[in-house]
Amino acid sequence: MYFPSKERPEMPTTLPVPIEFRLPEGWFPARPEVLDTQGVAFAAVHAQPDAGFTANITIHGDLPPDGVTLAELADKSAERLREVAESVVVTDRREVGSADAPALTQCLTFSSAVGGMRRDLVQSQVYLSLLDAQDPCRRAVIRLTLTTTAAQYESVLGDFQDFVRTVRPDTGRD
């Protein structure tokens, strides 16, 4: 993985396939001890919080059972969010990518208590289906997530899109 500095943060969870990426300017690796999301392999935080909430990018990975679609995984993610948040609405979902490299994007809005305050939040999720470079029969799904306040969403969405464009399998070649 590429980071804005030479330091490599600890990963509390490993990904099923190695990836590389670049964080946009103004984003920094989060300290693993502040992560409260199970299964997060990597998290980054934005330098400018909005009203006490810090926008964040997280990376999760899994090897789903054969036949499970990206849409089914996205549905399950929305269901899990409904267990901990209120008023969860999928506002947009699109299948993107190609037959060889399918992907899905979805955007959710919800309300949640964060830091003792009720906040209106937005979450953009990108599901990438990647082949394992060492074992092309294995297909992993990497979920990239941006969570931000509704007010800050438009100002950080471009950063997230830039970040997503840099994510690719790590072939071990420099």
Side-chain angles (χ1 to χ4, degrees), residues 28-103:
F28 303 95
R31 295 187 322 267
E33 65 271 13
V34 301
L35 297 179
D36 63 357
T37 305
Q38 187 176 10
V40 172
F42 178 80
V45 293
H46 192 263
Q48 298 295 317
D50 176 46
F53 183 86
T54 304
N56 59 81
I57 293 172
T58 58
I59 301 174
H60 304 77
D62 200 5
L63 291 168
D66 287 340
V68 173
T69 67
L70 294 178
E72 290 170 327
L73 294 173
D75 286 342
K76 287 180 184 176
S77 179
E79 288 172 25
R80 281 191 306 275
L81 188 56
R82 286 183 182 101
E83 293 172 4
V84 298
E86 299 172 6
S87 307
V88 177
V89 176
V90 177
T91 59
D92 186 43
R93 181 182 285 178
R94 298 174 192 195
E95 291 187 25
V96 295
S98 65
D100 292 335

Side-chain angles (χ1 to χ4, degrees), residues 12-25:
T13 301
T14 58
L15 293 171
V17 294
I19 62 171
E20 60 185 31
F21 58 86
R22 290 190 190 279
L23 285 176
E25 195 170 316

